[in-house]
């Protein structure tokens, strides 16, 4: 019975005319492609492009295997052969690939440290490139060391300091790398710079020292349970503080350590300590990568 | 107290309606599982798509939103093109084609960059063509899903259970969107890092698509909950995609609708910013470890809550008033991000730029979603009401036309604005006072605020000409006037 019904229905449905349907679809695809292409064309005059864009994207992605990144090497060689002064080529904000390698933006200082370790290969490679201008500044006067200090990348800062970057260089608003590290509560970078003799008395355009910035920002960053309690009168609200989402306990303790670092004499961390730590961290990361690769196989 | 005077709990009332779904068979539930996994895959992708293209595939700041804009354009355009194919070739075959394209596209998208650079030995730039191809193929596959799932729900529900079936489908879709953020994207990014985690999110979505595909193999292609509907297939079988435009383009009601749609474009474009620009804005102002998924879960959470608790109450208000209110609320929410973050320091407890941005973003999402809750359902309802009764489906399909043009334009504008006003590293420059208002993300949001505000203002100003509280009556009057004019013309010609 049901078979009969099916046959009847099949007879009633007219044969599909695929030609006109496909023709319409083709027209739509053409319209869409033209529209997309026109939009792209309109975008070109306003777009920022730099020959180092690809190199920077490789650095940011960070895919080092067995101690090197073939894609990075290839891109670097290609760029060097095609563009003069490729390794120092600035982008629209004046940043060179080295500055990009010395930058990350994490709330959690531990994440920044992990990123720091994964970037060491690139920083070393760039610093070893003939003709590199490690002391280059971007449009606001930031050096790679400023970027590393703000980002909380102490190992990169060690390499940059070794490369001869001025640890007291000021940007156009008077900020030194020490001030940037202090305002972000990057304890290790602060200790490193202090141990290298950074000028803790230098002031920015607002007349603030690195220590002032550290104290101010530590107070602002920490959740300050007492203040919340006084303000709301509700005990235990700290756990429901919406800032939990942008709060990292590691950064709070790093802020506290930063403020203390300004009082400590001599500096709590020396450059040699950091170099040893960097070596251990790199070895550990390599061992973990090898283990993961072996497990994968 | 008698039961008639007791107000029913809206939560109980909402869920009790789902009782009617026990009429629906296995095919209906299979469709919902397909929709759930496909939705999970789509929403996880869309949350991280810009970031994935930018950070993992090396697309420039301006290119990443452009390609996400193109992806959404491709989907809308292909939906328009393949919308009727489902009825012609059958559900299982459409699902098969759709999922092959979708899974294939996603695999190419995920592996494209590494395949190009590491296996083919191409440069980073050249390997992006694989990613672009992946996006195009994937969008074609995604376009099959929406019409196919809608057709499945319609086919596998009885006339009695159909409205509830669609409500359930909408609820389930939003639950997918809710879970995609905080339960999937955040843990994967926290586990695998801010760059590799993005690839894991894409791969997770591909796995969801594979699961959904497996479910499709159990669907009964010949089953119709209302057997008579099987006989009506011949009406839909011969329809051409562009036929729709020809049918309605000359109708006055349609022309009015297009003007109305253009007027609402400003605010509707802001809806797309959630995935075009916001991810970069969040991570660049607050940090790469910011819980992006959680923030993206707030919107579906408010929609779900609103669906259950608020929408039934809102039904008694005028559609146009609700649309204007919704648009105004959504547009005004951008004020929160357009003001300098330092202004927030007057609020006790907000003392850093990061905290100010966080509060601004959180409030914007909540207010924007509340506006969307008022606007979006009314908007679809209005489009349906404007249409003559026999052309509702055509009008609904064609209502996407203005967005076709707007999507790539928005992608381009958004990308350029991000590259100028929200570049990576801007947080360091804001901390050190190098960024003026005109160079800041706040200026970007001011531009979008102005664009968004045009919509409610334009609707209020043209309320008497293009928007009506009684669109059905107006449409009927227009049709009658057109027919009368046609008759007069014919008579004159005869004379």
């Amino acid at each position: 019975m049901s078979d009969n019904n099916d046959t009847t229905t099949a007879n009633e449905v007219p044969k599909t005319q695929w030609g006109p349907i496909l023709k319409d679809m083709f027209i739509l695809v053409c319209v869409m492609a033209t529209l997309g292409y026109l939009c792209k064309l309109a975008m070109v005059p306003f777009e920022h492009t730099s020959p180092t864009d690809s190199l920077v994207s490789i650095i940011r992605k960070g895919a080092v295997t067995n101690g090197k990144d073939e894609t990075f090497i290839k891109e670097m060689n290609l760029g060097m052969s095609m563009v003069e002064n490729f390794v120092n080529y600035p982008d629209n904000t004046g940043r060179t690939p080295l500055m990009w390698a010395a930058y990350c933006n994490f709330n959690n200082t531990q994440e920044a440290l992990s990123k720091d370790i994964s970037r060491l290969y690139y920083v070393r490679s760039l610093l070893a490139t003939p003709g590199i201008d490690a002391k280059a500044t971007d449009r606001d006067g930031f050096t790679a060391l400023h970027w590393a200090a703000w980002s909380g990348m102490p190992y990169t800062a060690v390499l940059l300091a070794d490369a001869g970057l001025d640890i007291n260089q000021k940007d156009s608003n008077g900020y030194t790398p020490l001030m940037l590290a202090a305002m972000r509560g990057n304890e290790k970078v602060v200790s490193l710079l202090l141990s290298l003799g950074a000028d803790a008395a230098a002031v920015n355009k607002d007349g603030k020292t690195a220590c002032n910035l550290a104290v101010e920002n530590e107070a602002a960053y920490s959740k300050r349970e007492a203040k919340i309690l006084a303000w709301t009168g509700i005990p235990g609200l700290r756990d429901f503080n919406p800032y939990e989402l942008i709060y990292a306990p590691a950064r709070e303790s790093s802020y506290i350590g930063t403020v203390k670092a300004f009082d400590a004499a001599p500096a709590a961390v020396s450059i040699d300590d950091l170099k040893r730590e960097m070596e251990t961290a790199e070895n550990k990361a390599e061992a973990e990568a090898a283990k993961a690769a072996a497990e994968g196989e | 107290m008698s039961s008639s005077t007791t107000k029913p709990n809206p939560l109980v009332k909402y869920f009790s309606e789902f009782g009617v779904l026990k009429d629906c068979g296995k095919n209906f539930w299979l469709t919902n599982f397909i929709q759930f996994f496909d939705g999970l895959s789509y929403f996880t992708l869309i949350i991280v798509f810009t970031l994935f293209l930018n950070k993992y595939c090396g697309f420039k700041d301006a290119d990443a939103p452009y390609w996400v804009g193109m992806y959404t354009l491709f989907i809308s355009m292909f939906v328009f093109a393949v919308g009727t194919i489902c009825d012609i070739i059958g559900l299982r075959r459409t699902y098969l084609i759709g999922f092959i394209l979708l899974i294939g596209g996603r695999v190419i998208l995920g592996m494209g960059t590494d395949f190009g650079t590491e296996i083919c030995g191409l440069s980073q730039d050249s390997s992006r063509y694989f990613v672009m191809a992946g996006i195009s193929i994937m969008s074609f596959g995604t376009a099959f899903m929406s019409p196919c799932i809608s057709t499945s729900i319609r086919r596998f529900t009885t006339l009695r259970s159909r409205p509830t079936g669609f409500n359930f489908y909408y609820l389930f879709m939003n639950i997918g969107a809710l879970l995609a953020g905080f339960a999937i994207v955040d843990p994967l990014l926290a586990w695998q890092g801010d760059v590799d985690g993005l690839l894991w999110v894409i791969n997770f979505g591909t796995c969801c698509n594979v699961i959904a595909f497996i479910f499709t193999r159990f669907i009964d292609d010949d089953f119709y909950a209302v057997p008579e509907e099987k006989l009506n297939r011949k009406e839909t079988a011969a329809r051409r995609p562009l036929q729709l435009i020809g049918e309605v383009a000359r109708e006055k009601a349609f022309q009015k609708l297009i003007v109305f749609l253009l007027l609402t474009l400003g605010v509707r474009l802001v809806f797309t910013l959630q995935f075009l620009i916001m991810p970069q804005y969040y991570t660049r102002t607050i940090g790469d470890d910011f819980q992006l998924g959680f923030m993206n879960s707030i919107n579906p959470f408010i929609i779900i809550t609103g669906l259950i608790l608020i929408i039934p109450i809102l039904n008694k208000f005028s559609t146009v008033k609700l649309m204007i209110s919704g648009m105004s609320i959504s547009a005004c929410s951008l004020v929160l991000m357009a003001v300098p973050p330092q202004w927030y320091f007057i609020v006790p407890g907000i003392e850093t730029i990061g905290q100010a941005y966080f509060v601004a973003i959180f409030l914007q999402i909540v207010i924007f979603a509340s506006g969307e809750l008022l606007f979006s359902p009314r908007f679809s309802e209005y489009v349906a009401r404007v249409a003559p009764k026999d052309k509702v489906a055509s009008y609904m399909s064609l209502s996407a036309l203005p967005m076709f043009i707007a999507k790539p334009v928005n992608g381009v504008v958004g990308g350029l604005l991000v590259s100028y006003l929200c570049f990576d590293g801007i947080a360091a420059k804001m901390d050190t006072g190098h960024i003026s208002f005109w160079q800041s993300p706040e200026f970007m949001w001011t531009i979008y605020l102005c664009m968004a505000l045009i919509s409610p203002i334009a609707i209020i100003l043209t309320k008497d000409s293009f928007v009506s509280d009684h669109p059905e009556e107006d449409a009927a009057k227009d049709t009658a006037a057109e027919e009368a004019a046609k008759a007069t013309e014919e008579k004159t010609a005869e004379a």
Side-chain angles (χ1 to χ4, degrees), chain B residues 212-282:
Chain B
F213 174 64
I214 294 168
F215 279 124
T216 63
R217 298 297 88 196
F218 297 101
I219 278 192
D220 181 358
D221 217 359
D222 286 329
F223 178 78
Y224 280 77
V226 182
E228 297 77 39
E229 287 178 355
K230 193 172 184 178
L231 302 171
N232 295 336
R233 276 196 301 172
K234 72 174 183 182
E235 280 179 22
T236 53
R239 214 165 178 82
R240 290 168 51 186
L242 291 178
Q243 202 178 344
L244 293 174
I245 300 176
E247 279 174 12
V248 297
R250 285 185 193 159
E251 288 175 11
K252 208 172 173 195
F254 180 71
Q255 289 163 359
K256 270 189 178 178
L257 175 68
I258 288 290
V259 175
F260 164 75
L261 294 170
L262 288 172
L263 294 179
T264 59
L265 212 55
V267 84
R268 286 195 299 141
L269 281 183
V270 178
F271 291 170
T272 60
L273 298 182
Q274 198 67 34
F275 49 85
L276 276 182
I277 293 179
M278 299 283 189
Q280 280 167 311
Y281 171 71
Y282 297 162

Side-chain angles (χ1 to χ4, degrees), chain A residues 5-6 9-10 12-14 16-18 20-21 23-25 27-29 31-33 35-40 42-43 45-50 53-55 57-58 60-63 71 74-75 78 92-93 95 100 103-109 111 115 138-142 147 150 171-173 175 180 183-184 205 216-217 219-222 224 227 231 242-246 248, chain B residues 54-56 58 60-63 66 70 73-74 77-78 80-82 84-85 88-89 113-114 117-118 121-125 128 140 190 193-196 222 230-231 233-234 237-243 283-291 294-295 347-352 354-355 358-359 404-405 408-409 412 416 419-420 423-429 431-435 439:
Chain A
N5 279 344
D6 283 349
T9 314
E12 281 176 1
V13 176
T16 306
Q17 297 287 316
W18 283 102
I21 291 175
K23 189 180 151 198
D24 281 5
M25 282 174 72
I27 292 170
L28 282 169
V29 170
V31 169
M32 189 174 64
L35 191 63
Y37 184 67
L38 289 177
C39 286
K40 181 73 188 161
M43 178 175 163
F46 305 101
E47 224 178 341
H48 300 303
T49 43
S50 163
D53 283 344
S54 291
L55 189 75
S57 74
I58 292 166
R60 288 168 69 198
K61 188 175 166 186
T71 321
K74 208 180 285 173
E75 197 69 39
L78 186 73
N92 61 310
T93 59
R95 272 193 276 180
W100 275 104
Y103 162 75
C104 68
N105 179 12
F106 289 103
N107 247 315
N108 189 340
T109 45
E111 295 263 7
K115 192 60 95 180
D138 68 13
R139 70 176 180 197
D140 299 313
F142 271 35
W147 282 106
W150 184 87
D171 76 348
S172 54
N173 281 344
Y175 283 88
L180 294 188
M183 76 191 296
R184 290 269 290 169
K205 67 165 187 179
E216 248 176 44
N217 284 282
Y221 186 84
S222 55
R224 293 194 290 174
K227 190 177 172 185
W231 184 41
Y243 293 151
E244 198 67 43
L245 286 171
I246 54 165
Chain B
N54 185 237
K55 286 183 172 179
Y56 196 87
K60 280 181 286 187
D61 275 4
D63 278 344
Y66 166 76
M70 288 303 288
L73 166 74
F74 289 169
M77 194 73 105
F78 286 136
F80 194 61
V82 303
T84 54
I85 287 181
I88 302 169
I89 64 174
T113 319
D114 295 336
T117 52
E118 287 167 23
L122 298 171
S123 68
Q124 176 91 352
D125 268 342
R128 275 174 223 148
F140 200 18
D194 67 310
V195 179
D196 288 343
D222 286 329
K230 193 172 184 178
L231 302 171
R233 276 196 301 172
K234 72 174 183 182
R239 214 165 178 82
R240 290 168 51 186
L242 291 178
Q243 202 178 344
T283 51
R284 288 172 184 189
T285 53
I286 294 184
D288 279 324
D289 48 353
F290 179 60
Q291 287 176 326
F294 179 86
M295 282 300 182
V347 181
I350 302 177
E351 292 175 42
T352 67
Q355 289 169 351
F358 171 73
V359 171
F404 286 175
I405 302 160
V409 175
V412 168
L416 288 175
S419 70
Y420 279 93
F423 57 86
D424 203 2
I426 197 164
K429 297 301 175 90
D431 277 349
T432 47
H434 286 290
I435 301 292
Q439 299 167 310

Side-chain angles (χ1 to χ4, degrees), chain A residues 78-159:
Chain A
L78 186 73
M80 298 278 272
S81 65
M82 291 174 77
V83 182
E84 201 184 334
N85 202 19
F86 176 74
V87 73
N88 297 317
Y89 209 99
D91 64 9
N92 61 310
T93 59
R95 272 193 276 180
T96 62
L98 182 64
M99 291 180 206
W100 275 104
Y103 162 75
C104 68
N105 179 12
F106 289 103
N107 247 315
N108 189 340
T109 45
Q110 295 303 320
E111 295 263 7
L113 273 182
S114 311
K115 192 60 95 180
D116 192 11
I117 295 161
S118 68
R119 289 275 174 82
L120 286 173
Y121 165 79
Y122 301 103
V123 177
R124 279 201 192 102
S125 305
L126 287 166
L127 286 173
T129 308
I132 179 93
D133 177 12
K135 294 174 184 171
T137 55
D138 68 13
R139 70 176 180 197
D140 299 313
F142 271 35
T143 61
L145 188 58
H146 279 90
W147 282 106
W150 184 87
S151 308
M153 299 170 82
Y155 309 133
T156 299
V158 167
L159 297 180

Side-chain angles (χ1 to χ4, degrees), chain B residues 356-379:
Chain B
Y357 273 122
F358 171 73
V359 171
I361 290 168
F362 185 81
L363 291 178
Q364 190 274 335
I365 292 176
V366 171
I367 296 172
F368 184 84
S370 311
E372 190 186 347
L373 190 65
L374 299 186
F375 171 74
S376 287
R378 299 298 129 195
F379 176 75

Side-chain angles (χ1 to χ4, degrees), chain B residues 281 332-339 344 359-361 363-365 367:
Chain B
Y281 171 71
C332 289
S333 70
L334 293 179
V335 172
L336 292 160
M337 297 196 303
V339 299
Y344 284 89
V359 171
I361 290 168
L363 291 178
Q364 190 274 335
I365 292 176
I367 296 172

